[in-house]
Amino acid sequence: MNNFFKSTTFKVLLTVAVILAAAAVFSTVSVGGTSPLTNALGVVAQPFQNAASYLSSKLDGVTGGFISSKSYQDRIAELEQQVAEYQSQLVDYEKTKKQLESYEEFLDIRAQHPDYTWVYSTVIGRDSADVFGSFTINRGSEHGIKVNDAVIYSEYLVGVVTEVNPTSAVVRSICDPTVGAAAYEIRTGELGYISSTTDMSVNGICSLSGLARDTAISKGGIICTSGTGGLFPRDLIIGTVTDVRQSDSDLSAYAVIDPAVNSKDIHDCFVITAFEEE
């Protein structure tokens, strides 16, 4: 028997009994039906409860502010429509701005040449296979345009009308070999005619041909229409001389010209339908 009281089993049973007794005492003396043990556990659990409450409130906020994917799609569609409207307004603005700039330039020309009668037009088509740079404009016979009318941009010659329809016309550029405008160099007064080849046109250049082999024309000279033949008004600027070369086919020379305006780049122009020199 003495050995039992000294054994480990007895000691464990005694410890359990003490703990149970203490728990009973704590339960009896607790206030409001809550034991100190319960209070202690509550203190330990409180931070976790606070964290859970915080996360719950945040989740409630997220749920309350959630917008469906359809709402986002509708909003995106609305914004895209607004962007399209702004782009359309910008295009109209740019068109109007260019027209005003063109009119300002041509008003200066009209002040210098009150005898000119001209029609404003816009380029509406190009032939990508045409290396000479022909194009179609949105004005035709209904607007007084006819074949062989000169086409200008500011004070520069662009080309000549070769085909006319009621509401459109085809313009061939000065780099087209069929145009052949009579021209002269303003410093020397030497006369010639505008010509071109396929290779020249691909590179956006033309030439003043029919010059004397000992021509005095030099690099930097300005080439203008001479008015000979009555096809074009006199003194429309064609371009600038970049080189003078000897012809391989005869004893003449020719001046390589860089046109003042590339017909492939313009978007609007004016057609001279009448001028006093005619």
Side-chain angles (χ1 to χ4, degrees), residues 50-73:
N50 293 340
S53 298
Y54 175 79
L55 290 175
S56 177
S57 65
K58 290 299 180 182
L59 288 173
D60 288 341
V62 170
T63 303
F66 177 75
I67 301 176
S68 68
S69 60
K70 185 179 184 306
S71 298
Y72 277 119
Q73 291 174 352

Side-chain angles (χ1 to χ4, degrees), residues 17-97:
V18 171
I19 292 173
L20 291 174
V25 172
F26 289 150
S27 177
T28 302
V29 300
S30 63
V31 180
T34 302
S35 68
L37 180 59
T38 302
N39 290 336
L41 292 175
V43 171
V44 173
Q46 188 62 44
F48 298 101
Q49 293 175 347
N50 293 340
S53 298
Y54 175 79
L55 290 175
S56 177
S57 65
K58 290 299 180 182
L59 288 173
D60 288 341
V62 170
T63 303
F66 177 75
I67 301 176
S68 68
S69 60
K70 185 179 184 306
S71 298
Y72 277 119
Q73 291 174 352
D74 292 342
R75 180 56 176 162
I76 290 172
E78 180 183 347
L79 292 175
E80 288 177 343
Q81 178 63 31
Q82 291 179 2
V83 170
E85 292 175 356
Y86 291 145
Q87 289 176 335
S88 178
Q89 293 174 7
L90 181 60
V91 169
D92 291 340
Y93 167 76
E94 290 297 334
K95 286 182 179 179
T96 303
K97 180 181 177 182

Side-chain angles (χ1 to χ4, degrees), residues 41-223:
L41 292 175
V43 171
V44 173
Q46 188 62 44
F48 298 101
Q49 293 175 347
N50 293 340
S53 298
Y54 175 79
L55 290 175
S56 177
S57 65
K58 290 299 180 182
L59 288 173
D60 288 341
V62 170
T63 303
F66 177 75
I67 301 176
S68 68
S69 60
K70 185 179 184 306
S71 298
Y72 277 119
Q73 291 174 352
D74 292 342
R75 180 56 176 162
I76 290 172
E78 180 183 347
L79 292 175
E80 288 177 343
Q81 178 63 31
Q82 291 179 2
V83 170
E85 292 175 356
Y86 291 145
Q87 289 176 335
S88 178
Q89 293 174 7
L90 181 60
V91 169
D92 291 340
Y93 167 76
E94 290 297 334
K95 286 182 179 179
T96 303
K97 180 181 177 182
K98 288 181 179 179
Q99 288 178 356
L100 288 174
E101 290 174 351
S102 296
Y103 276 119
E104 287 175 356
E105 292 177 354
F106 285 98
L107 284 174
D108 291 338
I109 296 177
R110 191 159 193 174
Q112 299 174 20
H113 302 280
D115 58 302
Y116 287 3
T117 300
W118 39 262
V119 176
Y120 174 79
S121 62
T122 300
V123 176
I124 58 173
R126 299 183 190 277
D127 183 357
S128 59
D130 181 11
V131 298
F132 302 116
S134 65
F135 55 90
T136 302
I137 57 176
N138 66 339
R139 296 289 186 270
S141 58
E142 290 184 356
H143 308 89
I145 294 176
K146 57 189 181 300
V147 172
N148 290 331
D149 282 346
V151 179
I152 61 175
Y153 183 86
S154 184
E155 57 188 321
Y156 310 110
L157 177 65
V158 175
V160 61
V161 175
T162 58
E163 298 178 33
V164 179
N165 298 305
T167 58
S168 65
V170 176
V171 179
R172 291 186 182 178
S173 77
I174 56 173
C175 289
D176 191 309
T178 62
V179 174
Y184 77 105
E185 197 273 324
I186 62 173
R187 182 180 64 83
T188 64
E190 292 187 48
L191 295 169
Y193 58 91
I194 301 301
S195 64
S196 185
T197 64
T198 300
D199 290 340
M200 281 186 165
S201 295
V202 168
N203 292 309
I205 60 177
C206 56
S207 66
L208 178 65
S209 300
L211 302 175
R213 201 165 183 83
D214 60 349
T215 177
I217 294 176
S218 60
K219 183 177 180 180
I222 305 298
I223 307 299

